[in-house]
Amino acid sequence: EPEVTQTPSHQVTQMGQEVILRCVPISNHLYFYWYRQILGQKVEFLVSFYNNEISEKSEIFDDQFSVERPDGSNFTLKIRSTKLEDSAMYFCASSATEAFFGQGTRLTVV
Amino acid sequence: QKEVEQDPGPLSVPEGAIVSLNCTYSNSAFQYFMWYRQYSRKGPELLMYTYSSGNKEDGRFTAQVDKSSKYISLFIRDSQPSDSATYLCATRKINGQNFVFGPGTRLSVLP
């Protein structure tokens, strides 16, 4: 069964460093997403991506964040100059109609 | 008012019980509805997807949507300890791409 895959599963980084989280969406899906879940809190929308551009983004997705689809299969989230409060699970999802999620990358900023 | 609301629980039931999980939403523009199951530190797993009022059944799971009341439910029959997880409802507008999640209800099924 097709699935969304994310790497790495866990990333530890120092405050102020840049991180890139990677995702391989389901191959025939056209919409891609990044969501965030701070421990014990709800799943929060960051950004959606369609036709090689951002289609929607939340207030959380500020200039510190960027997304890219560098080739036909990967979808990345870059966080520049990470802050302690960026520590969370980051989920990639893709959809045709309903969204399918990856297992997440746990980002720990120290 | 929050867009999507759920009772956070925790909800504890004995094995074999019928579980009822509920969710309300505020915006009538939401037309697509999903239920996800999330185990601790894992990604949300899609259980049910529906876009019409009424019931949809899949195995032990039944999703119910009442658009007039802006109320959606998930029923789990013959609940098992392996059903212990957080259940998230999610919704999307007909022309939107953003899936809006409720905060989730934590369920414990006790053997």
Side-chain angles (χ1 to χ4, degrees):
Chain A
E1 186 174 309
E3 60 179 10
V4 176
T5 58
Q6 289 186 243
T7 55
S9 56
H10 188 195
Q11 172 96 44
V12 181
T13 188
Q14 288 200 324
M15 192 169 54
Q17 296 297 303
E18 175 183 286
V19 294
I20 296 176
L21 311 183
R22 302 179 192 281
C23 170
V24 179
I26 294 173
S27 61
N28 62 342
H29 285 179
L30 300 178
Y31 296 93
F32 314 119
Y33 309 83
W34 284 101
Y35 282 79
R36 179 181 82 175
Q37 187 175 35
I38 295 170
L39 186 64
Q41 298 186 26
K42 63 181 286 186
V43 176
E44 298 177 294
F45 170 72
L46 292 178
V47 65
S48 60
F49 193 85
Y50 171 72
N51 200 25
N52 284 320
E53 62 183 20
I54 291 173
S55 52
E56 208 170 326
K57 62 182 180 179
S58 72
E59 290 176 355
I60 302 169
F61 193 88
D62 59 22
D63 293 343
Q64 172 196 19
F65 294 91
S66 62
V67 290
E68 196 176 37
R69 188 153 162 82
D71 53 43
S73 59
N74 291 286
F75 180 51
T76 62
L77 174 69
K78 182 190 290 186
I79 310 175
R80 288 183 282 275
S81 190
T82 48
K83 303 189 282 274
L84 294 176
E85 54 264 38
D86 294 328
S87 296
M89 287 288 287
Y90 287 81
F91 295 109
C92 174
S94 67
S95 78
T97 49
E98 66 273 40
F100 292 87
F101 284 76
Q103 288 303 302
T105 294
R106 180 151 59 106
L107 177 65
T108 303
V109 182
V110 297
Chain B
Q1 184 182 12
K2 294 178 183 175
E3 288 190 290
V4 182
E5 301 205 53
Q6 289 181 260
D7 185 333
L11 176 64
S12 293
V13 301
E15 184 175 354
I18 296 174
V19 177
S20 171
L21 302 166
N22 306 302
C23 187
T24 58
Y25 61 97
S26 58
N27 192 334
S28 58
F30 290 134
Q31 295 290 315
Y32 298 97
F33 307 96
M34 289 132 282
W35 282 98
Y36 289 86
R37 177 174 62 195
Q38 187 179 28
Y39 294 112
S40 181
R41 294 183 181 264
K42 298 291 186 183
E45 173 193 1
L46 181 66
L47 291 175
M48 302 287 284
Y49 166 72
T50 184
Y51 52 85
S52 56
S53 283
N55 292 354
K56 181 177 180 180
E57 191 173 315
D58 184 0
R60 296 186 296 114
F61 299 95
T62 299
Q64 190 174 81
V65 176
D66 181 350
K67 290 185 181 180
S68 62
S69 301
K70 299 189 185 68
Y71 193 87
I72 60 176
S73 301
L74 178 71
F75 298 96
I76 307 174
R77 287 182 297 282
D78 187 25
S79 56
Q80 303 295 310
S82 58
D83 294 328
S84 297
T86 297
Y87 288 80
L88 309 170
C89 66
T91 183
R92 178 171 73 86
K93 296 173 186 175
I94 194 164
N95 291 321
Q97 282 124 49
N98 170 13
F99 292 82
V100 180
F101 281 81
T105 298
R106 197 180 332 155
L107 171 68
S108 291
V109 181
L110 307 174

